Amino acid sequence: MKTCFLHKNPQSSDLILFVSGFASHFSHFSHLKAQNNVLMIYDYKDMNLDIELNSFKTVHLIAFSMGVSISSKLLSYMKFKTSLAINGTPRGIDDEYGIKEEVFKKSMENFNLLEFKKALFAKNLNLGENFYFQGQTQLKDELKSLFNFHKKHKVKKDLSFDKILLSKRDLIFSNRACENFFKQKNTKIIHSKEPHFVFFAFDSWEELCNI
C-alpha cells in the first residue's frame, strides 16, 4: 500500500484517514478542500501497511469501496472519532454482503479499464489527463492482490461504522448487499443519487465527515 497526504495543516491536530478503493489515485480527489490533515491510503498491489497516527488528537475515518473491507480487516483495533463507509461493506468480496466471488474473478481475469470507468462514473469519462489511472496490467495485478488478501484474511470482528453512504446508481457494489449488511449493524444509511464515485458531489473532506 501507499500513503499520501492530500492536505497538511500544522494548525490542526485532527486527521481524516481516507482508505480509498481499487484503482484510486490521489489525483482523483484534488478538488476536495480541507481545513484538517487528510491522509490517503491507496494502491493495493502490496498489502503491507505501516502508519503512525499518534501525533494526531483525533482521527476520522472515511473508507470507500474496497477500502471499507480493508479498513475492517486492518484497522479494527483503532478508535475513530467518526467513521463513514462509502459504497462498500467490511466483507468486500462476499456472495451475500459484497461483490460476489465469481463476479470479482471475472473482473480480475477480463479487466478492461474503459468498462471500469463506465461503472465507476456512470456518465462523465472526459476527466482530463490530470485524472490518472495506472495501466491495465498494473490494475489487474492490484485486483489479484485484493482477491488474495480477502481469501487469506477471514472476518474476525467487523469494524463498526457510524454511517454508510450508498449510491443508487452504483454499478460496482450491490445496494441490496450493502443495505442488508449495515441494517444488521444499526448503521445510519444515507442515500445518494450519484454513481459509485460520489466525490464530485462534495466540496470538502469535512463535508463528507459531517453528512
Side-chain angles (χ1 to χ4, degrees):
M1 300 183 200
K2 294 179 180 177
T3 61
C4 173
F5 270 98
L6 302 180
H7 295 276
K8 276 189 175 183
N9 182 0
Q11 306 304 316
S12 172
S13 60
D14 289 352
L15 175 73
I16 298 171
L17 179 63
F18 174 49
V19 186
S20 66
F22 161 70
S24 290
H25 186 263
F26 52 81
S27 64
H28 302 179
F29 309 95
S30 60
H31 68 286
L32 290 171
K33 301 173 184 176
Q35 295 179 342
N36 296 300
N37 302 282
V38 182
L39 178 65
M40 174 180 176
I41 298 173
Y42 69 107
D43 195 336
Y44 302 116
K45 293 191 294 295
D46 173 356
M47 297 306 296
N48 295 316
L49 178 62
D50 183 16
I51 53 172
E52 176 54 63
L53 305 178
N54 290 335
S55 60
F56 298 101
K57 185 177 180 181
T58 58
V59 180
H60 304 262
L61 175 66
I62 297 176
F64 170 51
S65 194
M66 292 301 289
V68 179
S69 65
I70 290 166
S71 299
S72 191
K73 288 172 169 52
L74 296 183
L75 301 175
S76 60
Y77 66 94
M78 291 186 62
K79 299 290 185 183
F80 297 105
K81 181 74 173 179
T82 63
S83 54
L84 170 68
I86 302 174
N87 291 331
T89 75
R91 302 299 168 86
I93 303 168
D94 186 89
D95 287 347
E96 188 173 6
Y97 297 125
I99 299 173
K100 294 183 183 297
E101 186 171 317
E102 284 305 310
V103 172
F104 196 95
K105 281 181 178 179
K106 287 180 181 177
S107 298
M108 186 169 62
E109 293 162 2
N110 306 303
F111 180 74
N112 180 285
L113 180 54
L114 179 59
E115 293 303 314
F116 174 70
K117 287 181 181 179
K118 290 179 181 178
L120 193 63
F121 303 112
K123 50 178 181 178
N124 179 23
L125 299 181
N126 299 314
L127 300 164
E129 58 186 24
N130 292 329
F131 203 97
Y132 175 78
F133 283 93
Q134 293 188 54
Q136 193 152 298
T137 300
Q138 292 171 300
L139 292 176
K140 264 191 171 185
D141 289 342
E142 187 175 350
L143 283 173
K144 291 175 185 175
S145 176
L146 284 166
F147 182 78
N148 291 334
F149 173 78
H150 280 79
K151 295 297 282 186
K152 290 177 182 176
H153 288 75
K154 302 300 181 183
V155 176
K156 293 181 180 178
K157 181 182 178 182
D158 293 317
L159 180 64
S160 178
F161 285 88
D162 301 327
K163 296 168 284 189
I164 169 71
L165 178 62
L166 293 181
S167 295
K168 292 182 178 179
R169 294 193 295 141
D170 194 343
L171 300 178
I172 293 178
F173 268 85
S174 159
N175 262 207
R176 181 179 294 178
C178 293
E179 281 195 352
N180 288 345
F181 179 85
F182 283 106
K183 279 179 180 177
Q184 301 177 86
K185 306 294 183 179
N186 295 316
T187 304
K188 182 179 179 181
I189 299 174
I190 303 164
H191 292 283
S192 167
K193 294 180 181 179
E194 297 300 308
H196 185 72
F197 188 90
V198 300
F199 298 91
F200 291 138
F202 298 90
D203 296 318
S204 72
W205 289 101
E206 286 83 7
E207 184 184 359
L208 271 164
C209 287
N210 294 324
I211 61 170

